[in-house]
Amino acid sequence: NLSLVDATDDFTFSAWINTDSVTGGHEIMTDYDSNAENGGWHFTTNGSNLWVMTHHIGTDGNVSTTGGISIGTWKYVTVRRYYTGSAYTLELYIDGVSQITGNDPTSGSADNTNDELQPFCVGIRRLSSPLYYFDGLIDEVRVSISDTGLGAARSAGWIKTSYDNQNAPAAFSSAGSEDSTFTWDGSSSTDWDTAANWDVNAVPGAG
């Protein structure tokens, strides 16, 4: 149960999504029952936009991209909330690239008042009509939550690296060939630079 995201938490939520619809709202992950007085949050698609909304008692945070989501295409989507020293910021990423930031007012709590009836959900909004099912595929859901400053708000570099590593792991890192082994046998002379003095008939470092 992840019903403990409150006004003093940093967080990062990410997932790979492949949608079959860019009409209306479709929940990626959420902890919200459509009653703003209960607090909560949801991370969703809204048409072709990526959208995050936090519900504090009496005020909301609301940030949306302009496009970026398309039918039948895998997208790595991320939202993070972090403290800047004077306010909280919500930031949305698509494929490891920041799309938009916005203020998250914290005059209240984003905690749920009923953890059992309003649990963390993937691909659906509980106790809601409609349920805003995600129409498509969701994979590799990752959630990080901590008190402010303890590392759950992943850095831009961390988010980009996560995308690169998962999107094309073979291109992300590579290993070189094994170093050759040279064994001196001195069969020709005492000259280091003579290839015949080495078992592979080559001088180390030459060429």
Side-chain angles (χ1 to χ4, degrees):
N1 192 320
L2 295 171
S3 299
L4 299 177
V5 178
D6 62 29
T8 61
D9 285 342
D10 289 343
F11 62 69
T12 303
F13 304 139
S14 64
W16 285 90
I17 64 170
N18 189 328
T19 185
D20 292 333
S21 174
V22 289
T23 301
H26 300 275
E27 298 288 7
I28 302 168
M29 54 187 98
T30 183
D31 191 9
Y32 177 58
D33 68 355
S34 297
N35 183 353
E37 292 307 311
N38 285 345
W41 56 270
H42 52 119
F43 183 34
T44 183
T45 60
N46 185 21
S48 62
N49 306 321
L50 186 65
W51 184 35
V52 62
M53 194 167 190
T54 57
H55 300 278
H56 307 280
I57 307 305
T59 186
D60 297 329
N62 188 343
V63 178
S64 175
T65 66
T66 302
I69 305 299
S70 55
I71 292 175
T73 303
W74 281 104
K75 292 291 183 179
Y76 181 63
V77 297
T78 306
V79 57
R80 68 172 181 148
R81 184 175 75 170
Y82 55 94
Y83 189 61
T84 62
S86 59
Y88 281 85
T89 296
L90 291 165
E91 186 169 13
L92 292 171
Y93 290 76
I94 298 176
D95 291 344
V97 178
S98 177
Q99 304 294 310
I100 190 171
T101 61
N103 183 53
D104 184 19
T106 55
S107 56
S109 172
D111 280 352
N112 293 322
T113 57
N114 192 327
D115 291 350
E116 293 182 0
L117 294 179
Q118 198 171 314
F120 171 79
C121 296
V122 174
I124 187 176
R125 184 188 300 179
R126 287 285 301 276
L127 301 180
S128 170
S129 180
L131 294 173
Y132 296 98
Y133 287 105
F134 187 83
D135 186 3
L137 302 172
I138 300 175
D139 198 11
E140 294 291 340
V141 172
R142 297 184 177 184
V143 175
S144 300
I145 303 171
S146 73
D147 289 338
T148 295
L150 296 183
R154 305 303 190 189
S155 68
W158 191 97
I159 294 168
K160 179 64 164 59
T161 298
S162 293
Y163 167 72
D164 289 341
N165 185 34
Q166 296 177 61
N167 182 57
F172 177 73
S173 62
S174 62
S177 61
E178 183 179 355
D179 290 341
S180 299
T181 300
F182 296 78
T183 301
W184 168 272
D185 59 29
S187 58
S188 175
S189 67
T190 59
D191 184 5
W192 175 277
D193 292 326
T194 299
N197 286 325
W198 297 91
D199 66 330
V200 293
N201 199 36
V203 177

